[in-house]
Amino acid sequence: MTSSLIRGRPRRTRSHISVRVAHAVLGGVAGLGWLVLPGMTINTDVPVAISTDAPVAATAQEDEETSAADLVLPLVVVGAAGALAGYGYIRRTRRARTRTTPGGPHIPPPAPPLTELDDRSRALLAEADNWIRTSREELSFAEARSGPAAVASITQAVRDAESELTAAFRIRRQYEADVPQDETSRRHALAGIVGRCQEAGRRLDEEAAAFDQLRALERDIGEALTVAETRFRELAGRTATAETTLADLAELYAPSATASVTGYAEQAKDRLVFATNHLNQARQAADLDEAEAAARQLRAAEGAVAQAAVFVSAINRLATELRSAARMVASALTGAESELSGVRGTPVGKLRSQVLHADTVLTSVREELTGGQPYDPLDVLRRIVHVLAPVATGRAAVLSAAARLTARSAAAGADGFVTTHRGAVGAGARTRLAAARELLDAAPLADLVRAHTLARQARELAEQDVRVHGNPVAGADQRASGVSGAVLGGILLGGGRPPSFGGPRTRARRGLRSP
């Protein structure tokens, strides 16, 4: 249905044209009148003789001047009318060419290339994941001070944001699997990813003011400082213990068993050095009643303390997982034999070749276990589970338990790496990690094997991103003070600002003047 604005404009245009044409015709008629008028006033009577010569000469000269004036004036009028008509036509034509109001031609802007939309969606996935990780970290400090009930609504906001991000990652996985295939639908899919990420950020931004009011860092930072300092001292002791634990693990198991946490004790110390500096600066600023500066320094310190805890927990978790895996190896081998006994004797075909391959892998595992050398229990379970998954019938429950243990271990390791290196890790690693997490509670053995594979891919992609990113901070002093690790871990944003609870509008509301 055409709007009244669009319907009305052509009539007005025609009316303007008619007025201008009428003006031009009227001018022409007037000019013609001036041309005809002299002819109508010429005297046709027979001339009468004049007795004197002088007056005759004067009269002739006067007639010539009058005739010239009578001819010039109409020509001027006609010229003026023509000029006015021409001006109106030119103005009308120019206005029609430059018209932008309704009724004029509308040319929509060209759609951005699909690659540009893809880049934007991947960038937003990584950013939204960082918003949520940072918000969870600061929320833990607020909860330690105020209790779970006080932060219940804010906790729900974080969960809502997590749900939006989970949906965005699902769309991304389908997109990477070429679902859908036509360009229009793929554009819609990318728009869906962007929309979900934006909604996650909006939900966090919505609660940022209430969260700041709850923490009240600018009004009373004393209790928050005490919570952070208590966690710091606790972690300092745990870091020393974790370093000893890692050394013990290196003696008990093969090098591959501890490869995922190599250097973690040193990185925990690096974060604690950074936390020490900023906790001291926060305390000094608080003593000088510089509330905003104290809050900024505290947020930087809290981020470092939280990441130091991730490094230390990863070492301790791996030690527990390796002990559990070592206890499970014998029963997993027995379960594998039970599964194979049910399918042996299968006619020649794909299943038979899979059984033969499983026999080969199990023989290799037994040789490794009896060889007298340290081995990697988690890797042994992984090999057993992966080779049995295509032929298992479910009669050996221990295989599912083994698959869940290895998958959870790989996913936790990848998640910790992303958390502590989120300043460099992109969307590819995070997308696979999200897919792995969704499969961890699955019952089918094949799904658990898939979860483990995705988690390992996530870790590999994250490590690759870090290598490509390189050292974000130059200078030995900054590396020694932990600034380099803090930037890599996303503890400091561009310009030395510590991120806070919130989404894109609020997460950088506190800025550090000097790291």
Side-chain angles (χ1 to χ4, degrees):
M1 181 176 181
T2 307
S3 68
S4 59
L5 287 175
I6 297 176
R7 291 199 307 270
R9 188 165 187 89
R11 287 200 295 270
R12 288 200 303 272
T13 303
R14 286 194 296 271
S15 66
H16 288 317
I17 294 173
S18 300
V19 170
R20 292 189 181 100
V21 171
H23 287 169
V25 170
L26 181 60
V29 170
L32 183 61
W34 278 102
L35 286 172
V36 173
L37 186 59
M40 294 175 64
T41 57
I42 295 175
N43 188 355
T44 58
D45 293 339
V46 177
V48 177
I50 305 296
S51 59
T52 61
D53 294 333
V56 171
T59 302
Q61 184 177 359
E62 183 179 341
D63 288 342
E64 289 175 359
E65 292 175 355
T66 303
S67 299
D70 289 342
L71 290 173
V72 169
L73 185 59
L75 291 176
V76 171
V77 173
V78 171
L84 287 173
Y87 171 74
Y89 173 77
I90 293 172
R91 185 179 179 186
R92 183 176 67 256
T93 304
R94 184 178 300 169
R95 182 182 298 176
R97 289 176 180 173
T98 60
R99 179 182 295 153
T100 58
T101 56
H106 174 69
I107 303 175
L114 199 62
T115 54
E116 182 179 322
L117 293 175
D118 188 23
D119 290 342
R120 186 187 179 201
S121 72
R122 287 189 289 107
L124 266 178
L125 280 171
E127 289 174 12
D129 193 34
N130 286 346
W131 304 334
I132 292 173
R133 289 177 186 273
T134 299
S135 297
R136 277 198 306 248
E137 287 175 357
E138 188 174 4
L139 181 60
S140 70
F141 285 94
E143 184 176 345
R145 176 188 175 187
S146 304
V151 299
S153 62
I154 299 170
T155 301
Q156 184 59 50
V158 174
R159 289 173 182 164
D160 293 344
E162 289 172 343
S163 297
E164 294 291 340
L165 183 60
T166 298
F169 277 128
R170 288 197 192 109
I171 300 173
R172 181 68 202 181
R173 292 198 300 274
Q174 292 178 337
Y175 183 87
E176 291 181 352
D178 289 332
V179 179
Q181 293 186 345
D182 63 284
E183 181 173 341
T184 301
S185 298
R186 288 178 75 76
R187 286 181 179 276
H188 290 165
L190 294 175
I193 294 172
V194 170
R196 293 283 189 172
C197 292
Q198 289 175 338
E199 177 59 20
R202 187 200 65 78
R203 191 70 181 89
L204 296 173
D205 283 333
E206 192 176 55
E207 295 293 331
F211 184 77
D212 285 347
Q213 186 175 3
L214 174 69
R215 295 211 73 187
L217 296 183
E218 283 78 8
R219 295 195 308 272
D220 182 14
I221 201 171
E223 289 185 23
L225 262 173
T226 300
V227 170
E229 288 168 344
T230 300
R231 284 196 181 184
F232 171 84
R233 288 190 292 269
E234 205 176 89
L235 267 173
R238 288 178 57 200
T239 300
T241 303
E243 193 170 19
T244 302
T245 299
L246 189 56
D248 293 340
L249 294 176
E251 292 183 2
L252 289 172
Y253 304 108
S256 63
T258 57
S260 63
V261 295
T262 298
Y264 271 25
E266 288 74 17
Q267 292 188 63
K269 293 177 183 177
D270 180 77
R271 298 297 194 274
L272 290 177
V273 168
F274 181 86
T276 299
N277 293 336
H278 289 281
L279 281 173
N280 290 338
Q281 292 178 39
R283 181 64 71 180
Q284 292 168 6
D287 292 341
L288 295 172
D289 291 328
E290 297 176 356
E292 292 185 3
R296 289 193 296 268
Q297 301 294 343
L298 175 62
R299 272 303 303 134
E302 286 176 341
V305 168
Q307 291 196 11
V310 173
F311 287 124
V312 171
S313 296
I315 295 173
N316 294 332
R317 186 194 68 251
L318 180 62
T320 301
E321 291 166 349
L322 287 171
R323 287 193 294 268
S324 298
R327 291 193 296 266
M328 198 180 290
V329 167
S331 59
L333 274 173
T334 302
E337 288 292 349
S338 175
E339 289 283 359
L340 287 178
S341 65
V343 293
R344 279 196 178 95
T346 302
V348 176
K350 182 177 180 181
L351 183 58
R352 179 175 175 79
S353 64
Q354 290 171 336
V355 170
L356 293 174
H357 178 58
D359 279 330
T360 301
V361 171
L362 294 181
T363 299
S364 173
V365 167
R366 292 190 194 92
E367 291 175 353
E368 183 176 347
L369 296 178
T370 58
Q373 297 296 319
Y375 67 95
D376 180 350
L378 283 170
D379 186 62
V380 166
L381 287 183
R382 178 194 63 80
R383 289 156 60 194
I384 294 173
V385 167
H386 282 230
V387 78
L388 263 295
V391 299
T393 59
R395 68 171 63 187
V398 66
L399 292 181
S400 293
R404 186 166 284 105
L405 173 61
T406 57
R408 287 184 181 278
S409 176
D415 186 73
F417 189 89
V418 172
T419 295
T420 54
H421 299 80
R422 59 178 177 260
V425 177
R430 300 172 197 250
T431 301
R432 283 157 182 77
L433 178 57
R437 283 195 296 242
E438 288 195 34
L439 294 172
L440 289 179
D441 295 325
L445 187 62
D447 286 348
L448 293 170
V449 169
R450 176 65 176 159
H452 182 274
T453 300
L454 288 167
R456 292 190 68 168
Q457 290 176 355
R459 177 66 181 261
E460 291 168 359
L461 286 173
E463 291 177 348
Q464 179 180 328
D465 288 341
V466 172
R467 287 194 297 270
V468 171
H469 188 267
N471 188 349
V473 177
D477 292 341
Q478 289 181 313
R479 287 195 296 270
S481 63
V483 174
S484 178
V487 173
L488 187 63
I491 297 170
L492 295 179
L493 303 176
R497 298 165 297 166
S500 300
F501 179 102
R505 291 191 299 104
T506 59
R507 70 185 305 248
R509 58 191 178 274
R510 296 189 177 96
L512 278 177
R513 292 186 176 87
S514 61

